[in-house]
Amino acid sequence: MPELPEVEVCRLGISPHIIAQKVSEVIIRNSRLRWPIPDEVSSVIGLPVLGVDRRAKYLLLRFSNGTLLLHLGMSGTIRVIEKDTPIAKHDHFDLVFQHGKVLRLNDPRRFGAVLWLVNDQDELGLLSKLGPEPLSDEFSKGYLFKKAKNRKVPIKTFLMNNHVVVGVGNIYANEALFKAGILPTAKAGDVDERRMDSLTNIIKKVLSAAIEQGGTTLKDFTQADGRPGYFAQSLMVYGRAGQSCITCQTRLQEIRQSNRSSVFCPNCQQE
Ligand SMILES: [Zn+2]
């Protein structure tokens, strides 16, 4: 599943090819994504893309009359390729540009989304209830500790809650908690301020490093093959249950939390 770093790298990969370019055609081959693609997306025909922003895992293509929202869901990829590139299976949506390129969404599992927002008002409430961006100044010293006050939910569940902070998916929650030495089962309200601040810094570092690493895949966004925006990561705990901890050689354990895998070192991580 594309996580925040992959979506940010996608934004960086597609932006230079579509900003200031005018849309000539909108092609909906299959509108049955997570929500039906609304007909209003065709209102961008003739208009240039003013900018490409990201909020959480949503890509926001800005136009003078509104915003085209794109989400990659579980399996989506976006690339900007030549208009005459043959259609592949699962190529559900095209934004064709006057300069001969096309932004093409491919999504085998169809959990992705293409929506239209006017004035950033979204009836589905996708954007309005989100917590701060993890790489913003709003998410810094003191924030997590204050937010977690009296909360009894496990710290991992807390971190993955989009109302607390956006974009900390399962992999990054596992890795950040390992690096911060905090057990995923610790009650959020019990983690002291010093460790919460350390966790905050680690989350920023882990996500920034992933974005930087993904920078090597930027050219994939303009190629018709490959899987742009999905990059291999060097992981310390995620996917390593049963193997030894890279720090202390203790066997890493795995539990399920909110139906997601949590892998941790029982020696390096504490309540
Ligand atoms: Zn260890």
Side-chain angles (χ1 to χ4, degrees):
M1 188 192 307
E3 296 287 347
L4 185 143
E6 281 92 342
V7 179
E8 177 62 11
V9 170
C10 178
R11 186 183 75 79
L12 296 168
I14 64 171
S15 295
H17 307 287
I18 62 170
I19 287 177
Q21 300 300 333
K22 281 185 184 164
V23 175
S24 59
E25 203 183 343
V26 173
I27 301 171
I28 301 169
R29 281 185 208 89
N30 183 352
S31 74
R32 289 169 300 134
L33 300 185
R34 181 157 181 196
W35 299 283
I37 301 178
D39 293 334
E40 288 94 319
V41 298
S42 294
S43 67
V44 300
I45 292 171
L47 300 176
V49 175
L50 301 177
V52 182
D53 296 327
R54 180 190 56 73
R55 181 72 173 100
K57 296 204 282 182
Y58 300 104
L59 285 170
L60 305 168
L61 274 55
R62 306 296 190 182
F63 292 91
S64 58
N65 62 339
T67 297
L68 185 72
L69 176 149
L70 297 166
H71 192 273
L72 299 174
M74 308 280 284
S75 57
T77 49
I78 288 175
R79 35 174 95 78
V80 179
I81 46 185
E82 297 302 327
K83 192 173 142 184
D84 55 9
T85 306
I87 306 303
K89 205 176 173 186
H90 312 300
D91 280 345
H92 303 311
F93 177 79
D94 279 2
L95 210 53
V96 187
F97 291 91
Q98 287 180 3
H99 68 332
K101 308 247 187 207
V102 55
L103 178 150
R104 186 165 286 169
L105 171 72
N106 181 284
D107 186 2
R109 296 184 64 183
R110 290 193 284 111
F111 281 103
V114 179
L115 295 170
W116 179 248
L117 314 178
V118 177
N119 301 324
D120 269 9
Q121 298 279 324
D122 61 314
E123 288 158 27
L124 297 161
L126 298 176
L127 303 178
S128 53
K129 290 171 187 148
L130 295 174
E133 286 288 324
L135 299 175
S136 71
D137 290 342
E138 199 185 339
F139 183 71
S140 54
K141 248 178 163 214
Y143 173 82
L144 273 184
F145 181 71
K146 216 187 268 175
K147 197 83 184 167
K149 211 172 172 195
N150 301 325
R151 298 286 297 272
K152 292 182 169 55
V153 290
I155 182 73
K156 181 168 172 249
T157 311
F158 177 75
L159 280 184
M160 290 179 65
N161 179 347
N162 265 338
H163 304 307
V164 173
V165 56
V166 301
V168 185
N170 195 41
I171 295 174
Y172 296 104
N174 273 288
E175 295 297 304
L177 287 168
F178 172 74
K179 288 184 179 169
I182 303 169
L183 278 175
T185 49
K187 287 194 184 84
D190 287 352
V191 180
D192 66 38
E193 189 161 10
R194 187 188 56 81
R195 293 206 300 160
M196 277 301 206
D197 287 345
S198 152
L199 180 61
T200 303
N201 281 329
I202 286 163
I203 288 168
K204 285 176 185 286
K205 275 191 195 147
V206 167
L207 292 173
S208 305
I211 292 168
E212 201 169 304
Q213 198 189 342
T216 58
T217 69
L218 285 181
K219 64 172 182 346
D220 296 348
F221 290 93
T222 52
Q223 290 171 353
D225 49 5
R227 299 274 292 160
Y230 288 75
F231 31 91
Q233 301 164 49
S234 43
L235 300 173
M236 294 183 174
V237 284
Y238 184 79
R240 296 193 64 241
Q243 301 178 38
S244 359
C245 170
I246 55 155
T247 309
C248 74
Q249 272 71 56
T250 301
R251 192 169 171 274
L252 297 177
Q253 293 184 12
E254 181 173 31
I255 54 167
R256 302 290 290 178
Q257 288 181 292
S258 309
N259 210 26
R260 307 296 299 271
S261 157
S262 296
V263 184
F264 60 95
C265 173
N267 183 43
C268 294
Q269 292 171 256
Q270 272 121 48
E271 286 286 332

